[in-house]
Amino acid sequence: MRTLQTKSWLKAIAGVLCVVSLTTAAVSFGSVQWLSARGAYQNNGYNLLMDSVEHTLVTDLTYQVYEIYESQENQPGYQPNIDALLAEPNFFYTIKDKTGKTLSASEELGDYRARYSETFTIVYPGEEVTIDETYDSLQARHDARQAIEAEHPDAIIELSSTGMRYGLTATYVEGYHEETVTITGFLRSELRNVGGSSVYREMCQAATLWADRNLYLAALVAGSLLGVLSLVYLTWSAGRRKDADEIALGWLDRAVPTDLLLVAGVGLGVVDLCMLDQVFNLTASRLLYTPMLAAGITLLLAVYLSLVRRVKAKTLGDTLLLRRLGKPGRWVVKQCRRAGRAIHRGGSRLMAKLPLFWTAGLDFLALCFLEVLSIWIMARGDFVIGVLFWLLVKGIAAATVIYVVLSMRELQQGGQQLAAGNLDYKVPLDNLRWDFKAHGEHLNSMRTAIQAAVEDQMKSERMKTELITNVSHDIKTPLTSIVNYVDLLKKQEMPTDEAKEYLEVLDRQAGKLKKLTEDLVEAAKASTGTMPVNFQRTDVNVLLTQSSGEYQEKLQSKNLQLLLTPAQDNPAISADGRLLWRVFENLLSNIYKYALPGTRVYLTCQATETQVTITFRNISANPLNISADELMERFVRGDDSRHTEGSGLGLSIAKSLTQLQNGTFDLAIDGDLFKAILTFPRMG
């Protein structure tokens, strides 16, 4: 657990994962919220979503028609072209009065998929009239006031008096009237992508969002979960380093006062909330605000982790701004310099420790941000500058891709040469940088290590072969003398029967020792490839029939029934008949020694267009509690008690001789069933 807390590269990955996950969750939440509010996650969700979008669109457009129609009365003589002002080819309308008479309508009507109708009362203002009269009596003024109020209830009346004269001033609007109209809007049944139709665009966007609804939901859940888990890990590991037990404080923890950091954190939180509101809206500005939101989350995460480190180190109150008011100018300059150096060192260490995958991911995100920035510049109207900036971004991306491809090709070629066994090839490192150069150095180091290992192995094999050959020759000379003297003794009359038995034992053991010596020399030559091979066209069926005939009687003596199944079309292979005979002889000898008496022995030859397969099968007399690979090793015998004849070299010699003739030799063990499988390329 301590190791997980102190891995810098793991913390960097967790930080990036936290920011990316939370940003993804925020973007996905906006889409999920929009879809859920319109019933996209219910049964028959597609129809509910489309009905909701259609209703919203037709309602908004109908109200726009009302606003345009109402505005004509405010401008006398103005007859607006509602279709031209709406500029929506997938919408049409009708305006009717109380009697059903059509007052206005779109030029092109037709079938519709959605409609919305509402009745509006439009008040048309009249002319403002002011009356200023003087009366001789209060009764006359009172009667005039009642008459005005009866005819104009909304009139504004002011009373005055001068001596015996009584004044009345009334202001009212005369001539206004009301009109009640019913405006009905329609969305066309067949939507057309013409004239930059917002209806067509909104409907296509809704269909796309519905198709990706489960993806947004999964991204929301996964992003939230990964973001929280990453934040928990960062909180747990904050301030921990491999070379120190105490909490390690960074530049931000020492340089920025706690109270100032809290204010910055609150400000960043408010800014992030404002950007969240923009990200939740499914508008074009979402593309611009998403990378800005990611940057805000990154800064807020840095503030949070700094506070966590201060709490762990118990220095939360030691770095208040009130304690840093002395010599502010020099402190600011010093901290700015230290910040620059820290950012440079931290960036270098981060790039060195980040895995290549994450480095590439960060580069990709940076390029995406620059491309979004170029699109935003074009959207603001600076089209030329935006295009130039976009071309610059694409140039950087193309140069990066070309460099990566060329570097990977150098490494690929080095790996191919190494896999092909060319240990003299060295990966050129002059044009490689960063992780590519490190990987090239690793390949070169691997080449050197393999070369040294191969040389050591070859030296060891030569020494073993020379040792076996020398010892075998040293044994062979006295052994020959022993065999010769045994032959001479056999021609002499033995004085007793016991002496005759001793001579037989001596003769038998000397023969075994001679056979073992010959096998050792043959195994050494076969394994090192020093044995000469005379390749000739060899008929497998003929050689297999001769070998089985040689061993027929010997196998019958142990009650073993030999069954030979030759190939149908007499296949031929390129092999040395003498060495191939030796392989067959070793396998049949092995069967004679270790097969269970009273069982069958199968010799099978099968041929395809490209290869010939020869299979020897028998049942072992002893349990085969050993793997095929172990049985193939030298001096390993199927009889653990070693009561049977043999040196344990027969299978090893057979495999080496087969490989010398460009064949393969495999063993298969299934319970007590033993199979030896030889495969050779077939001659045409």
Side-chain angles (χ1 to χ4, degrees):
M1 300 296 287
R2 172 70 177 175
T3 303
L4 293 177
Q5 279 186 309
T6 57
K7 294 290 187 182
S8 299
W9 63 268
L10 190 57
K11 293 180 183 180
I13 292 175
V16 173
L17 184 62
C18 182
V19 173
V20 172
S21 299
L22 292 179
T23 305
T24 302
V27 174
S28 302
F29 177 77
S31 301
V32 170
Q33 185 184 43
W34 188 86
L35 289 167
S36 178
R38 289 156 179 79
Y41 292 102
Q42 301 178 17
N43 293 332
N44 198 25
Y46 180 80
N47 292 333
L48 292 175
L49 173 63
M50 290 304 173
D51 290 344
S52 175
V53 174
E54 290 171 356
H55 176 74
T56 301
L57 290 172
V58 73
T59 301
D60 291 344
L61 290 169
T62 301
Y63 272 93
Q64 291 182 37
V65 171
Y66 162 69
E67 292 171 357
I68 296 172
Y69 183 77
E70 184 187 29
S71 66
Q72 68 181 345
E73 293 302 325
N74 296 325
Q75 304 179 40
Y78 173 60
Q79 295 294 329
N81 187 339
I82 297 178
D83 286 332
L85 292 175
L86 284 178
E88 180 49 66
N90 291 306
F91 174 82
F92 62 91
Y93 71 93
T94 60
I95 302 176
K96 298 181 179 181
D97 60 11
K98 290 182 179 180
T99 64
K101 178 183 177 181
T102 301
L103 302 177
S104 179
S106 295
E107 295 180 1
E108 182 183 353
L109 305 178
D111 296 332
Y112 62 90
R113 61 166 61 205
R115 66 186 294 273
Y116 177 76
S117 181
E118 186 167 341
T119 300
F120 300 93
T121 299
I122 303 175
V123 178
Y124 300 118
E127 181 180 357
E128 185 176 272
V129 178
T130 301
I131 299 175
D132 190 2
E133 298 288 343
T134 303
Y135 300 93
D136 296 333
S137 65
L138 289 175
Q139 183 63 41
R141 189 178 68 174
H142 179 71
D143 293 340
R145 179 180 180 178
Q146 286 185 335
I148 293 173
E149 287 179 344
E151 187 176 356
H152 305 287
D154 297 333
I156 299 174
I157 300 176
E158 295 180 359
L159 303 177
S160 63
S161 61
T162 304
M164 299 301 292
R165 304 293 295 176
Y166 303 97
L168 182 149
T169 302
T171 302
Y172 55 87
V173 177
E174 186 176 40
Y176 75 89
H177 68 281
E178 297 179 348
E179 181 184 17
T180 301
V181 296
T182 300
I183 302 177
T184 306
F186 305 86
L187 292 184
R188 298 189 185 278
S189 58
E190 297 293 333
L191 299 181
R192 297 169 292 181
N193 184 18
V194 293
S197 171
S198 61
V199 171
Y200 183 85
R201 184 176 63 253
E202 293 289 340
M203 294 297 291
C204 290
Q205 183 184 20
T208 302
L209 288 171
W210 185 86
D212 296 334
R213 67 194 185 285
N214 294 327
L215 180 61
Y216 287 121
L217 190 60
L220 173 61
V221 175
S224 302
L225 182 61
L226 289 175
V228 171
L229 291 178
S230 302
L231 188 61
V232 170
Y233 167 76
L234 291 171
T235 304
W236 175 61
S237 62
R240 299 294 182 182
R241 288 186 180 176
K242 185 177 181 180
D243 53 352
D245 293 332
E246 64 275 4
I247 299 299
L249 298 177
W251 169 84
L252 184 64
D253 311 326
R254 294 187 296 268
V256 181
T258 300
D259 41 6
L260 189 60
L261 190 69
L262 287 172
V263 173
V266 173
L268 285 171
V270 173
V271 172
D272 284 349
L273 288 176
C274 295
M275 287 189 290
L276 273 176
D277 185 60
Q278 296 296 329
V279 170
F280 289 165
N281 293 328
L282 303 183
T283 59
S285 63
R286 185 182 193 180
L287 297 175
L288 173 63
Y289 283 99
T290 297
M292 294 174 62
L293 176 64
I297 293 175
T298 302
L299 295 175
L300 194 60
L301 179 63
V303 171
Y304 168 75
L305 293 178
S306 178
L307 292 174
V308 170
R309 288 190 293 269
R310 298 180 194 205
V311 171
K312 288 184 177 182
K314 299 180 180 179
T315 60
L316 194 63
D318 298 338
T319 56
L320 294 176
L321 184 61
L322 295 176
R323 299 185 180 184
R324 297 192 175 185
L325 293 180
K327 301 179 181 179
R330 285 181 295 173
W331 179 81
V332 170
V333 173
K334 182 179 178 181
Q335 295 304 322
C336 289
R337 291 177 178 175
R338 184 178 297 176
R341 290 194 297 266
I343 292 173
H344 181 266
R345 289 195 302 269
S348 300
R349 285 199 299 266
L350 179 63
M351 294 304 293
K353 292 182 179 181
L354 274 179
L356 183 60
F357 174 79
W358 291 106
T359 303
L362 291 176
D363 292 340
F364 174 75
L365 291 176
L367 289 173
C368 288
F369 174 76
L370 292 175
E371 189 164 357
V372 170
L373 185 60
S374 66
I375 296 173
W376 177 70
I377 293 174
M378 286 187 282
R380 288 186 57 192
D382 299 329
F383 184 78
V384 176
I385 297 176
V387 169
L388 292 176
F389 191 79
W390 182 83
L391 291 175
L392 176 62
V393 172
K394 289 302 179 182
I396 295 173
T400 303
V401 170
I402 291 173
Y403 172 76
V404 170
V405 169
L406 293 177
S407 300
M408 290 298 295
R409 184 165 182 81
E410 290 282 359
L411 297 177
Q412 182 186 35
Q413 187 175 1
Q416 289 174 347
Q417 293 292 333
L418 189 62
N422 183 9
L423 301 181
D424 295 328
Y425 182 83
K426 189 175 181 179
V427 178
L429 303 177
D430 297 338
N431 297 324
L432 298 180
R433 297 289 183 275
W434 307 303
D435 288 353
F436 298 110
K437 185 173 183 178
H439 191 62
E441 292 173 347
H442 294 161
L443 286 177
N444 289 337
S445 300
M446 187 184 302
R447 176 193 67 84
T448 304
I450 293 175
Q451 196 170 30
V454 169
E455 290 177 356
D456 290 343
Q457 182 68 21
M458 292 178 63
K459 183 178 179 181
S460 176
E461 290 293 332
R462 284 197 303 269
M463 291 179 64
K464 287 192 292 185
T465 302
E466 291 175 0
L467 176 63
I468 292 173
T469 304
N470 293 335
V471 171
S472 299
H473 280 295
D474 291 342
I475 295 174
K476 191 173 182 180
T477 301
L479 182 59
T480 302
S481 299
I482 293 173
V483 172
N484 291 336
Y485 280 112
V486 168
D487 288 338
L488 292 175
L489 287 174
K490 287 169 63 177
K491 296 177 182 178
Q492 302 294 327
E493 189 70 28
M494 291 294 103
T496 63
D497 291 338
E498 288 184 354
K500 187 179 294 184
E501 291 177 3
Y502 295 157
L503 183 61
E504 291 176 356
V505 172
L506 186 61
D507 182 38
R508 186 168 59 254
Q509 297 302 329
K512 288 183 179 181
L513 187 57
K514 182 179 180 182
K515 181 68 168 58
L516 176 60
T517 304
E518 293 174 350
D519 287 348
L520 279 171
V521 174
E522 187 174 21
K525 291 182 179 180
S527 62
T528 56
T530 58
M531 182 176 292
V533 181
N534 182 20
F535 285 101
Q536 294 181 352
R537 183 181 181 87
T538 303
D539 191 321
V540 180
N541 284 347
V542 173
L543 194 61
L544 199 59
T545 302
Q546 292 175 355
S547 300
S548 60
E550 288 285 339
Y551 269 83
Q552 186 76 36
E553 294 183 3
K554 194 172 183 179
L555 294 175
Q556 286 180 353
S557 66
K558 292 189 67 173
N559 197 20
L560 294 172
Q561 183 180 358
L562 181 62
L563 299 177
L564 173 63
T565 305
Q568 295 182 355
D569 50 355
N570 295 325
I573 62 174
S574 177
D576 189 326
R578 178 180 59 86
L579 298 183
L580 190 57
W581 176 278
R582 177 70 168 133
V583 173
F584 292 168
E585 184 181 28
N586 281 8
L587 291 173
L588 289 170
S589 175
N590 194 67
I591 291 173
Y592 172 75
K593 295 172 186 175
Y594 302 111
L596 179 66
T599 60
R600 296 184 180 88
V601 177
Y602 296 91
L603 272 64
T604 306
C605 180
Q606 295 175 323
T608 64
E609 294 182 358
T610 58
Q611 67 181 21
V612 177
T613 303
I614 306 163
T615 307
F616 293 75
R617 289 179 292 175
N618 67 277
I619 302 297
S620 174
N622 299 306
L624 293 174
N625 298 322
I626 188 172
S627 67
D629 293 336
E630 292 176 324
L631 198 60
M632 195 82 75
E633 295 178 2
R634 296 178 185 176
F635 305 109
V636 176
R637 294 160 63 178
D639 178 15
D640 292 337
S641 63
R642 305 185 75 86
H643 289 161
T644 57
E645 298 179 2
S647 60
L649 294 170
L651 293 178
S652 177
I653 293 173
K655 180 179 179 181
S656 299
L657 293 178
T658 302
Q659 292 174 344
L660 281 176
Q661 300 173 86
N662 300 324
T664 60
F665 185 95
D666 298 301
L667 294 183
I669 296 175
D670 186 2
D672 292 336
L673 176 63
F674 173 86
K675 283 200 302 185
I677 306 167
L678 287 70
T679 305
F680 293 93
R682 182 173 179 175
M683 290 186 67

